Amino acid sequence: MRRWQVLGCVGMLLAGQAGAQAPYVALEQRLDPQALAEVGLTPGQLQTLNRLLRQAEADAPAPVAVAAAPAAGPGLPTPAPMFPGLDDGPIHAKVTGQVDGWAPGTVFTLDNGQQWQVLKGEMMLKTARSNPEIVVVPGIAGRWFLQVDEDLPKARVFRIR
């Protein structure tokens, strides 16, 4: 997991510098030795990654000025949110029936008529719960997570009805 966080930071560094068109700086100079060691790249892989990033930066088109999106006014459509799902609020409801756990494919029917199916996550509860209160919370990019108890892991779900 740490490897992906470090590589994500490298990507953000590159995105920030691409707009400024500064000369490419090798990863060994951007990251401290501990972070570089956690990534676990061999010297050959590091050299190849630096070469590819340097080439991608050189091939990138010059930044284009982007005009600000017009604000929605009367009769104008509302602009789409930048991160779909984050503008949505959590859904508080009760599951109809008994919940003893979940796995991919499990369908939860809520008292508000919605149905949510588990996409990722697996959990067996120590004791089954009858009609438990749950919260379906939005994530980034339209992802949703079902929370039976705040102390338990959430299940990644999608709405089927």
Side-chain angles (χ1 to χ4, degrees):
M1 180 66 166
R2 178 75 174 144
R3 174 182 289 187
W4 294 112
Q5 291 173 335
V6 171
L7 289 176
C9 290
V10 169
M12 290 189 312
L13 285 170
L14 292 176
Q17 287 191 348
Q21 291 298 317
Y24 179 78
V25 178
L27 294 176
E28 300 89 4
Q29 296 171 356
R30 295 180 189 201
L31 301 173
D32 62 66
Q34 181 185 3
L36 207 52
E38 287 179 15
V39 174
L41 296 175
T42 66
Q45 290 172 327
L46 189 58
Q47 183 180 11
T48 302
L49 182 58
N50 274 320
R51 180 180 50 79
L52 291 172
L53 292 173
R54 186 176 292 112
Q55 182 180 354
E57 187 175 291
D59 293 345
V64 177
V66 177
L76 294 176
T78 304
M82 183 174 282
F83 298 107
L86 288 180
D87 293 335
D88 298 326
I91 299 167
H92 297 271
K94 285 188 176 186
V95 174
T96 56
Q98 191 160 333
V99 176
D100 57 359
W102 57 87
T106 303
V107 175
F108 290 97
T109 302
L110 307 183
D111 61 354
N112 63 8
Q114 295 179 354
Q115 286 186 328
W116 294 82
Q117 185 172 353
V118 176
L119 182 63
K120 284 186 175 180
E122 191 169 334
M123 180 78 184
M124 288 302 297
L125 301 176
K126 289 182 180 180
T127 57
R129 299 179 186 193
S130 182
N131 301 323
E133 291 189 25
I134 56 97
V135 180
V136 183
V137 295
I140 195 164
R143 292 184 174 110
W144 289 87
F145 300 90
L146 186 132
Q147 177 178 319
V148 175
D149 186 325
E150 65 182 28
D151 295 332
L152 296 175
K154 297 177 184 79
R156 178 154 172 223
V157 295
F158 63 95
R159 188 172 171 183
I160 56 176
R161 190 179 85 181

